[in-house]
Structure formats: C-alpha cells, structure tokens
Amino acid sequence: MNEADDMLARRQAMVAEIEREVAQTRKWLGKDRLDPRVVAALAKVPRHRFVPPTMVDVAYENRPQPIGHGQTISQPYMVAVMSDLAQIGPEDTVLEIGTGCGYQTAILAELAARVYSVEIVPELARAAMRRLAELGYANIQIRIGDGARGWPEHAPYDAIVVTAAAWHRVPPALIEQLAPGGRLVVPVDHSKDPARYPFFDQEQELMLITKDADGRLHERSIMPVAFVPLVEGDGEGEAEDSSEGARG
Ligand code: SAH
C-alpha cells in the first residue's frame, strides 16, 4: 500500500470509530448520527499533516495528542462533535478560538464559507498559517491574539467554536459577536483554582449557546470534557494582527 492509500485507510477507520462513539454517546448528543457534511469533512482532511513528523503513526487514533508548546491536537471525536453542534452551513462565517495546529480550523473551512481563527501562541499560529496555506485552504484567516476578545472586525459570526476551556464564564465579547440565530460551542471550566486542572480533569462541561432571532440566549450543557485552559490575556491594548489572506 502506498502512503496516500495507507493514510486514507487510517482516516476511514478513524471516521468509523468516531461514528461508533457518537452512537454510544447519543444520550449526551441527543442524536446518534453526525451531520453527513461533518463526516465528509473528517474523511477528507489529512489529519497526519497537522502533527509533528514523528507522530504520523498515531495521528488517526481517536484521542488527543501533544503537539509542543504544552498544547494538544484535539481528539477527533471532540472535533466532530463540536463541528456538528455548531450546525455550520455552506454560506456561514465562523470564528474559531484556539487555532493550535489548525486541524479543527480545516474541518470548519470544509463546512463554512469563511473561517477566522485566533491563536494566542505566535509560533502555533504561524505554523498553522503555513500548513493550511500549503494544503490549499483559501477561506481561512488566522490572527495572533487573545481570543477571549473575539475578532470584532469580521463579526457577526453564524457560529463560534472555542477549543480551549473558558474559566467560569463565557467571554462576553464572544456572545456579543454571535449573530442572531448563531451557535456558540464552548467548554466552560467550573473548577476553583486554575492550578488544579492540568490536563485530565472532569470539571469542564461543553456548552452550546444559541442566540435566537430576538437576541435571546439559550444554553444547553452537552457533556463533560477536558480541554487546555483558555489563557486569560492582559486585557489591554490591541492584539498583534498577523492575519493572512488567501494564499492557497
Ligand atoms: N483547535 C485545535 C486545538 C487547540 S488546543 C485542534 O484542532 O486540535 C487549544 C488552543 O487554544 C491552544 O493552541 C492554545 O494556545 C490556544 N489558546 C489558549 N488560550 C487562548 C486565548 N485566550 N486566545 C486564543 N487562543 C488561545
């Protein structure tokens, strides 16, 4: 088997594994199948291109992996669930907070018209920009900065996906930047002390917040999760804007 076929086979196995886990967690999700567009995106995006070369062998396992800078590439099942909850349509504008390696960004870019993504660690943001451009994504812009402030210039967003856990409350800027009818998917950490939750702790819940046409908010708790913390910015000044336009 050549490498491309090998990776394709692994990716198909990963998708099957995600679909099994979705069925097993139907109680939390309120459904036992993912949106077929999400499944197609998972089957298409080459996850092995988002991990360091030494980790290609484990890239398609259904678990999170360390990617350096103390950060992780999210578990495929979690990327799938969050993308599904965000109910993204082909015309949508999406904001992601926490680009990391850019894997979730790529999945969102398969589903939406445009994706804006904010990453606080400059090295990760720059590597993701390069990688996503190499893979040909022309509908993604990445900015270095504190995602708790969102990205007001391109608001409102039809969907916002936060891939790091907000401590105690959802950043108000994100709620503001959500369009009427919009969906915000965000892990919220309820533990008291940030030093107490390194990586595997079950004090976080994944929340789905929807804004109806009249601007009223509706909240649903989906399931317990384990995300790296959403780092709190200094609250001053403007973030460095290193967004890159269409290069792909
Ligand atoms: N989306 C990634 C997962 C990234 S892990 C994936 O597909 O695998 C969470 C990311 O959030 C990390 O890269 C971390 O640096 C970033 N992050 C943490 N706090 C942040 C903040 N306040 N603003 C923007 N990014 C933040």
Side-chain angles (χ1 to χ4, degrees), residues 71-74 96 98 100 104 119-121 124 146-147 163 230-231:
Q71 299 301 335
T72 54
I73 178 171
S74 294
E96 178 192 34
Q104 169 96 61
E119 169 57 54
I120 205 162
V121 178
L124 292 176
D146 179 7
T163 68
L230 186 73
V231 175

Side-chain angles (χ1 to χ4, degrees), residues 55-126:
M55 291 180 52
V56 165
D57 267 0
V58 295
Y60 289 104
E61 289 179 13
N62 187 25
R63 52 187 174 88
Q65 306 283 352
I67 53 163
H69 298 282
Q71 299 301 335
T72 54
I73 178 171
S74 294
Q75 182 189 15
Y77 164 80
M78 193 46 58
V79 172
V81 163
M82 293 176 90
S83 305
D84 188 87
L85 288 168
Q87 292 170 53
I88 298 165
E91 305 300 321
D92 284 358
T93 300
V94 177
L95 174 67
E96 178 192 34
I97 306 302
T99 318
C101 62
Y103 176 68
Q104 169 96 61
T105 324
I107 297 285
L108 296 172
E110 294 287 343
L111 299 168
R114 282 162 293 280
V115 179
Y116 297 94
S117 186
V118 184
E119 169 57 54
I120 205 162
V121 178
E123 293 82 357
L124 292 176
R126 293 196 186 105

